[in-house]
Amino acid sequence: MLDDSLLDDPARLAEADSAGLLRAAAMAGAQVRATLETAAEVELSDRLDVGRPRALVLIDRPGVSRTVTRLLAALLTPSCPVPVVVAEVVPSWIGALDVVFAHTDDPGDRELAASLERAARFGATVVLSAPPDGPVPAAVAGKGVLLPPRIPVPPEMAFPRGLAAGLLTANALGLLVSDLESLADQLDVEAEKNYLARDSFANPAKSLALRLADRIPLLWGLDPVAVAVGEHAAHAFAAHAATVCDVEDYRQALARPALRQAALVGNSDRDIFADPDDGPRGIQPRVVLLAVRTGQAAEAARYQAEEMLPGVDLITAAEEIDAAEPIRAGVLALRFELAAVYLGLAVGSIGGAGHYTSVPA
């Protein structure tokens, strides 16, 4: 059961968050800065000064690796001058003209280790974001660039580090221009907005958690980058709040009549005296439309979606964050991650919140 009073009680929140997940999430900016420092020390830009690659291969492994690679691919593909390939293992055609990027928090992933070893053996340039010990980093030792973590956080909180490592790789190859210092600063600003002592009405992550509590979140993106952010949000809600989300491009989402009808009902104002479990499936869905990109296409998508889903929740990152697309995406991903942690604490899927009882004096 949701204990919504917990979210506005900083002392109880801190007590419930025994694993320190809120603090770990708030260190997103620090993760980015640490990755910048590591990249400078290993001279990443100089070692990737290989000219334009034939292809950039993003290795998709379990955990936040998957959401990192999907977001990187979405950010790169509109104007990237080379093919961007997302794969679970290094493709068989890999060669000396290709660059491989992988992020993992499982240094014992032997399938990934064998895959990266094959890439290095065939002369591909490999950039690996991973812990320094284990079969995976050993597979590229002396033959690739390793970016190990410096900020200790749980694996499910390592998204900022993986994203920073991928963006730095793209920057060094001249495939994308991202200001990582600005990303770190904006992540710090977002973490401050969502600090546990701020009340729900002034805390975007707490407000989002309350909006999605006791609902099935339908996170529908108005652009490919927003869909990728939604995929990370779904991972975070599953990891922390045991909540299953539907993530889809809004046009594909609207092509499913039954779910579209349920979404219309779920987002409409309901009778305050109605039984919350009244209905064909009990828990109602709630649509949250996500937008990261700007421009005419983005405006057209927003207009169409709002016309077909009146009263829908809309999060438009560009209206809140005056920054480049990768920064807007990273900040929005952090907000959802914090919302997932707050919701998990409030329902008791993590910490001790769900079983909290006050002790008499």
Side-chain angles (χ1 to χ4, degrees), residues 21-361:
L21 295 179
L22 289 172
R23 182 175 182 273
M27 296 178 73
Q31 288 192 62
V32 172
R33 290 190 186 89
T35 306
L36 269 168
E37 292 172 2
T38 302
E41 290 178 6
V42 301
E43 300 178 331
L44 178 67
S45 295
D46 291 339
R47 296 174 71 175
L48 292 186
D49 188 14
V50 294
R52 180 173 294 177
R54 179 179 64 168
L56 174 62
V57 180
L58 306 174
I59 302 301
D60 178 345
R61 302 303 295 171
V64 299
S65 171
R66 173 157 298 180
T67 60
V68 165
T69 54
R70 301 295 171 85
L71 180 54
L72 288 171
L75 290 167
L76 281 162
T77 47
S79 57
C80 188
V82 303
V84 178
V85 179
V86 177
E88 292 185 358
V89 295
V90 172
S92 59
W93 46 259
I94 203 73
L97 299 178
D98 304 312
V99 174
V100 175
F101 170 78
H103 168 83
T104 183
D105 281 283
D106 178 10
D109 186 340
R110 294 192 176 275
E111 184 179 32
L112 176 60
S115 185
L116 294 180
E117 192 279 331
R118 185 173 71 252
R121 187 171 70 250
F122 282 96
T125 301
V126 178
V127 180
L128 174 64
S129 168
D133 301 313
V136 173
V140 298
K143 297 173 286 186
V145 183
L146 175 64
L147 300 174
R150 290 185 171 181
I151 305 294
V153 296
E156 63 272 20
M157 294 291 185
F159 179 84
R161 174 168 62 86
L163 178 61
L167 290 175
L168 285 168
T169 300
N171 279 0
L173 294 170
L175 304 180
L176 187 68
V177 178
S178 303
D179 185 344
L180 274 294
E181 288 286 358
S182 180
L183 172 60
D185 291 342
Q186 290 291 338
L187 290 172
D188 285 346
V189 170
E190 183 66 21
E192 185 177 351
K193 287 180 182 178
N194 297 294
Y195 182 55
L196 83 167
R198 297 191 69 169
D199 292 336
S200 297
F201 68 86
N203 186 313
K206 288 184 181 180
S207 298
L208 184 57
L210 289 171
R211 289 288 286 167
L212 296 179
D214 301 322
R215 295 294 188 111
I216 301 172
L218 309 181
L219 308 178
W220 294 349
L222 300 181
D223 56 76
V225 177
V227 174
V229 171
E231 290 180 345
H232 179 67
H235 174 79
F237 276 110
H240 303 302
T243 298
V244 177
C245 305
D246 178 68
V247 181
E248 193 56 86
D249 177 274
Y250 83 99
R251 291 164 296 188
Q252 179 67 21
L254 292 174
R256 300 174 292 182
L259 187 57
R260 175 181 167 185
Q261 180 59 35
L264 286 169
V265 173
N267 278 271
S268 63
D269 292 331
R270 305 182 69 206
D271 183 349
I272 62 173
F273 298 107
D275 183 344
D277 291 328
D278 185 25
R281 295 185 181 273
I283 300 175
Q284 293 290 337
R286 182 181 295 283
V287 177
V288 179
L289 292 178
L290 310 177
V292 175
R293 287 193 170 142
T294 57
Q296 291 185 344
E299 285 300 315
R302 175 176 173 175
Y303 177 80
Q304 181 185 14
E306 288 185 307
E307 186 178 55
M308 301 184 77
L309 295 167
V312 71
D313 288 351
L314 176 67
I315 299 178
T316 308
E319 293 183 355
E320 299 182 48
I321 308 158
D322 184 15
E325 197 172 278
I327 297 173
R328 295 198 298 267
V331 170
L332 190 56
L334 175 59
R335 181 176 302 176
F336 271 104
E337 192 161 278
L338 283 161
V341 173
Y342 279 126
L343 184 58
L345 292 171
V347 300
S349 57
I350 53 176
H355 309 287
Y356 182 89
T357 56
S358 59
V359 179

